[in-house]
Amino acid sequence: MGNFFNELSDILFLDIETASQEEAFEALPPRLKEEWIKKEKHIQPKEEELEPGSLFFNKAGIYAEFGKVICVGVGYFHFVEDENKLEFRTKSYGEEQEYDTLTGFVELLQRKKWILCAHNGKEFDFPYLSRRILINRIPLPEPLQIAGKKPWEVRHLDTLELWKFGDYKHYTRLELLAAIFDIPTSKEGIDGSHVNEAYYHEKDLEKIREYCLRDVLVTAQIYLAFQGLPPDLEIEIVNKDLE
């Protein structure tokens, strides 16, 4: 079992929290305003006539062109052989400026040959991070460089994809997987739909960082469940933010 846990240490579990690029649509540069209005026409309910820009606060954060990364949570397993103990070491990157948040995360990616794992990571987290890193004029780190690579050369894992078992039309929320595997919820006091409000109105980045790390832990526990490990497996959580 120790060998299996040692192999786990190469997997970097992650989750990101995003917000709209500005608190209000009116604060966008003119060119982005024009582009958002075009985007909005594709996402607004067809039966409703909405004021241009009215969807910006609630919807812009999910699009890398109109949003920004406000927190990256990461975690990896570390097996302490002499104590026969499994640790899950977590850290969050969430600075006032997105550039600083992404720079810290990129530095971590450059430390070793990580395998990246996230829930719906291939559809959201990995491409969103890649786009925002480039928008901030930061060189794209190797684990996120997928252009020209063969599928088996891309070191990305996705717990949503693993759960699909080839079913292309099936989407399963992280919270549903946590529920069926009897893993404690990460949605305590906040979920993804409240992040923009917590960031701009409550000015509570710390709450967002804590929520982000809870999602990282749930993703890691779900991955362990996929390996057939028992739910009562003892794991010591080590939060590197507190050191």
Side-chain angles (χ1 to χ4, degrees), residues 16-22 36 55-69 124 128 132 196 200:
I16 66 173
E17 302 303 331
T18 65
S20 56
Q21 199 170 115
E22 301 287 350
W36 174 256
L55 296 180
F56 179 78
F57 185 80
N58 290 323
K59 299 292 186 181
I62 64 175
Y63 302 102
E65 299 83 2
F66 303 99
K68 61 182 178 181
V69 177
F124 184 70
Y128 199 111
R132 292 308 304 176
N196 224 42
Y200 281 115

Side-chain angles (χ1 to χ4, degrees), residues 119 159-160 163 172-183 218 222 226:
H119 189 74
T159 47
L160 173 60
W163 184 248
T172 308
R173 295 177 64 240
L174 182 70
E175 177 65 12
L176 176 55
L177 286 180
I180 62 178
F181 283 107
D182 197 24
I183 294 169
V218 169
I222 287 172
F226 288 175

